[in-house]
Amino acid sequence: MASVSLISESQPWKDLKNHVEDIKKTHLRDLMNEVDRCKMMMVEFDGLLLDYSRQSATQDTMGKLFKLAEAAHLKEKINRMYDGEHVNSTEDRAVLHVALRASRDTVINSDGKNVVPEVWKVLDKIAEFSERVRSGAWVGSTGKALMNVIAVGIGGSFLGPLFVHTALQTDPEAVACAKGRQLRFLANVDPIDVAQNITGLDPETTLVVVVSKTFTTAETMLNARTLKEWIIAALGPQAVAKHMVAVSTNIALVEKFGIDPNNAFAFWDWVGGRYSVCSAVGVLPLSLQYGFSLVRKFLDGALSIDKHFHSTPFEKNIPVLVGLLSVWNVSFLGFPARAILPYSQALEKLAPHIQQVSMESNGKGVSIDGVPLPFEAGEIDFGEPGTNGQHSFYQLIHQGRVVPCDFIGVLKSQQPVYLKGEMVSNHDELMSNFFAQPDALAYGKTPEELLRENVPEHLIPHKTFSGNRPSLSLLLPSLNAYSIGQLLAIYEHRIAVEGFIWGINSFDQWGVELGKSLATRVRKQLNSSRTRGDPVEGFNHSTTTLLSKYLEAKSPVSSNPTTILPKV
């Protein structure tokens, strides 16, 4: 497709800009009285219910957003992604995380080759290997079963799998599958993270999964070498082959590290790190913990949304609708942030994962053609499970800045609790807040209402809530492997929709690189100062002062260093 002008130059964009003043004159408490509008702003699909009636939008707004999608060639861009075209133009790559959960008989071509058989070859290998470990056919170097797994990775190699693992930990089916097993994730290069991960674990019963596409990621490989030394110190060098496996495409470096190449699980350049939880990156550690058959249900849930996103008209397409509304909130209404508020403790790691998927994808200042954007793109994502968030940052959401909110609720709790004599069950208490908070944000409370309640006049300004604060609500039938896959895919595709509308590349992340390259200079300086006493040189005054202060502290590493491991 030939280069086009910025989307902000299109007539639909200008129409939406002009429409903002109309919306600002309309309060959500009035919009919520329009029953037909509210009915039109509810979508059901495969057990899910999306209600976006509390968005600051009318049917006219939605019509203008659909015209914007047409001007941005949204449908064409979605098709190009699914067809394996190189929509990641700056890295000259396809973007095919949808192929990771495709059914066996699907044909998805990339560079003239159907990639689905390759995907299933790896999935079958994971199914076979994880079953051998879980059944005790594969044991550690001393003959003991491997009951504990530490997955070593960072960024997309960590946040997505951790989100899914945390969500599954209290699902009854998953609990039964994981009985007696532990899964931990080591990401931070901080040695404290190493100490926390190995605390209480025996190397004899631990399998380490090293996740690095290139097997060169600095933090991951230092942590991998650290755990390798932990294994060797306890079991000897020969134990590495039995206690360490890899998710990587660099077989040469995997073998050089000491891992049997047969125990390396592949993924591909068309899988971005933050979109890789459905590849071996997430499927291998999750299958070791829960079994492949359960993880397959997670993949099927994502596949359900993939099909829905690809084929459903935009008016009933959940990822498209929420993506367009995000563009409306950010670029037209000027709201820079979005709160992700799951009313389920099991989803406590959803917001951290979406932070990366969203902010690394859409935190861009130039178009896909390299033209500086004259508008804001991307949003600041944060969140916390309800009701914890209510006692943390909801004060700002209700009476400070306007932050559009995603409320996520579940019809049935993973762990039902009811105490005799209580008015409602514990889950009902939780969900009472889920239903109340969106209305509180939308309606607010007026000075007149407070006067009628005999609130003292001097407190009225403090107890007034302006309302008119947008949110959407997503109801899941239950929280299990399938619905977790659905939720993941909704957010992945929503973020792609935003990027396609803004005309940016949501699939590269050059902003990650600069800090890494500067850290290399510091690393060399620390080494030369520690080993040879060289002075700090070549940095600005501030950095020189900070580095010098750091170097004044005595290092635990001697001039003739030996390996030091955490004392836990």
Side-chain angles (χ1 to χ4, degrees):
M1 187 171 65
S3 295
V4 295
S5 59
L6 292 169
I7 189 62
S8 55
E9 297 171 6
S10 70
Q11 190 58 48
W13 184 282
K14 294 172 184 176
D15 290 343
L16 281 162
K17 277 290 185 187
N18 294 331
H19 180 61
V20 168
E21 287 307 312
D22 294 333
I23 290 298
K24 286 184 176 178
K25 296 172 187 173
T26 308
H27 199 286
L28 271 171
R29 69 172 69 99
D30 298 318
L31 292 177
M32 291 302 293
N33 287 332
E34 299 177 17
V35 175
D36 288 341
R37 169 191 169 275
C38 293
K39 286 180 179 178
M40 292 292 290
M41 291 186 169
M42 292 187 179
V43 177
E44 291 190 66
F45 172 73
D46 197 10
L48 304 170
L49 172 61
L50 169 69
D51 175 4
Y52 63 97
S53 60
R54 292 177 192 81
Q55 289 286 311
S56 296
T58 63
Q59 288 302 105
D60 189 26
T61 312
M62 298 311 299
K64 292 180 188 301
L65 285 170
F66 294 137
K67 283 187 169 64
L68 182 69
E70 188 177 338
H73 306 286
L74 177 59
K75 182 60 180 172
E76 181 183 347
K77 290 174 180 177
I78 293 170
N79 288 340
R80 290 178 63 223
M81 182 176 79
Y82 274 71
D83 290 343
E85 293 188 34
H86 287 208
V87 296
N88 179 356
S89 56
T90 61
E91 296 179 311
D92 194 24
R93 293 176 182 171
V95 176
L96 282 176
H97 43 280
V98 295
L100 299 173
R101 48 255 190 166
S103 54
R104 283 185 191 269
D105 57 353
T106 306
V107 176
I108 300 177
N109 289 314
S110 177
D111 299 322
K113 181 181 180 183
N114 182 14
V115 301
V116 175
E118 294 179 30
V119 169
W120 274 96
K121 183 178 179 182
V122 174
L123 290 176
D124 289 338
K125 183 177 178 180
I126 291 172
E128 187 270 339
F129 177 76
S130 60
E131 181 54 33
R132 289 177 67 201
V133 172
R134 289 170 56 81
S135 69
W138 174 293
V139 294
S141 61
T142 62
K144 291 186 178 180
L146 299 173
M147 301 300 293
N148 311 305
V149 173
I150 303 177
V152 185
I154 198 165
S157 299
F158 152 66
L159 290 162
L162 177 62
F163 148 59
V164 179
H165 170 53
T166 307
L168 285 172
Q169 275 184 303
T170 43
D171 169 57
E173 183 183 7
V175 168
C177 294
K179 189 174 182 179
R181 311 194 66 84
Q182 286 192 72
L183 173 59
R184 300 183 183 183
F185 293 89
L186 172 58
N188 201 328
V189 76
D190 187 339
I192 299 300
D193 203 8
V194 177
Q196 290 175 339
N197 267 275
I198 65 175
T199 297
L201 296 189
D202 184 342
E204 284 187 281
T205 57
T206 301
L207 178 69
V208 176
V209 180
V210 184
V211 183
S212 175
K213 183 183 289 188
T214 62
F215 235 60
T216 59
T217 307
E219 301 94 332
T220 297
M221 295 318 299
L222 179 55
N223 278 335
R225 291 192 294 272
T226 303
L227 291 189
K228 179 181 177 182
E229 288 299 320
W230 176 65
I231 290 166
I232 289 172
L235 306 173
Q238 79 289 344
V240 172
K242 278 289 188 179
H243 290 264
M244 299 189 83
V245 298
V247 177
S248 180
T249 55
N250 195 333
I251 299 302
L253 287 185
V254 167
E255 187 170 20
K256 185 177 179 182
F257 185 88
I259 294 174
D260 186 338
N262 292 319
N263 300 327
F265 298 82
F267 60 119
W268 305 271
D269 279 345
W270 43 258
V271 183
R274 56 195 175 277
Y275 296 95
S276 66
V277 64
C278 294
S279 73
V281 168
V283 173
L284 177 58
L286 292 168
S287 294
L288 287 164
Q289 178 70 3
Y290 299 107
F292 181 76
S293 61
L294 186 81
V295 178
R296 174 71 191 275
K297 295 178 182 178
F298 161 70
L299 297 176
D300 286 345
L303 172 61
S304 164
I305 297 298
D306 291 343
K307 291 178 176 178
H308 168 73
F309 177 54
H310 194 204
S311 62
T312 304
F314 289 171
E315 291 79 6
K316 293 293 183 182
N317 190 312
I318 291 175
V320 169
L321 289 167
V322 294
L324 289 174
L325 288 165
S326 288
V327 170
W328 170 239
N329 286 326
V330 172
S331 298
F332 297 94
L333 298 182
F335 304 140
R338 171 175 59 196
I340 299 169
L341 309 171
Y343 276 66
S344 170
Q345 189 63 29
L347 293 175
E348 65 175 309
K349 295 301 181 181
L350 172 63
H353 176 50
I354 300 308
Q355 277 179 345
Q356 192 212 12
V357 183
S358 172
M359 295 167 75
E360 197 167 86
S361 292
N362 290 341
K364 308 292 169 61
V366 299
S367 75
I368 199 165
D369 300 310
V371 180
L373 299 177
F375 55 84
E376 297 293 340
E379 60 245 291
I380 301 161
D381 283 282
F382 69 98
E384 184 74 17
T387 56
N388 292 4
Q390 293 174 201
H391 294 268
S392 175
F393 51 78
Y394 276 37
Q395 169 63 45
L396 181 144
I397 290 174
H398 277 289
Q399 289 185 304
R401 293 175 179 268
V402 177
V403 179
C405 297
D406 293 357
F407 289 95
I408 302 166
V410 184
L411 298 182
K412 296 180 180 179
S413 176
Q414 288 180 334
Q415 297 290 330
V417 172
Y418 173 71
L419 304 182
K420 184 179 178 181
E422 293 288 341
M423 181 181 294
V424 293
S425 70
N426 293 36
H427 187 65
D428 281 351
E429 179 65 30
L430 173 74
M431 292 300 288
S432 295
N433 289 273
F434 168 84
F435 294 116
Q437 289 291 338
D439 275 344
L441 287 166
Y443 287 85
K445 197 154 196 177
T446 67
E448 292 76 18
E449 289 173 307
L450 294 167
L451 279 170
R452 288 196 295 271
E453 295 174 5
N454 298 316
V455 172
E457 194 167 336
H458 72 282
L459 288 179
I460 284 177
H462 302 282
K463 291 195 170 188
T464 296
F465 293 78
S466 63
N468 206 33
R469 291 161 185 260
S471 68
L472 60 82
S473 300
L474 185 65
L475 264 177
L476 282 61
S478 59
L479 193 62
N480 52 30
Y482 186 86
S483 60
I484 293 164
Q486 289 179 303
L487 189 58
L488 174 81
I490 287 170
Y491 273 95
E492 287 180 343
H493 295 318
R494 173 194 203 164
I495 289 157
V497 167
E498 292 175 75
F500 286 150
I501 297 292
W502 282 320
I504 60 179
N505 186 356
S506 299
F507 307 108
D508 63 9
Q509 59 282 331
W510 301 106
V512 177
E513 303 302 321
L514 180 59
K516 287 183 179 179
S517 62
L518 293 176
T520 300
R521 284 182 57 205
V522 177
R523 189 183 301 118
K524 291 177 180 177
Q525 179 69 63
L526 289 173
N527 176 263
S528 65
S529 296
R530 295 284 197 204
T531 58
R532 299 195 300 270
D534 291 350
V536 177
E537 293 178 333
F539 298 92
N540 61 49
H541 176 76
S542 174
T543 304
T544 300
T545 303
L546 292 168
L547 272 172
S548 299
K549 184 72 174 176
Y550 178 68
L551 286 163
E552 285 174 12
K554 180 174 171 57
S555 171
V557 181
S558 65
S559 56
N560 185 23
T562 57
T563 294
I564 300 173
L565 293 172
K567 296 178 176 63
V568 290

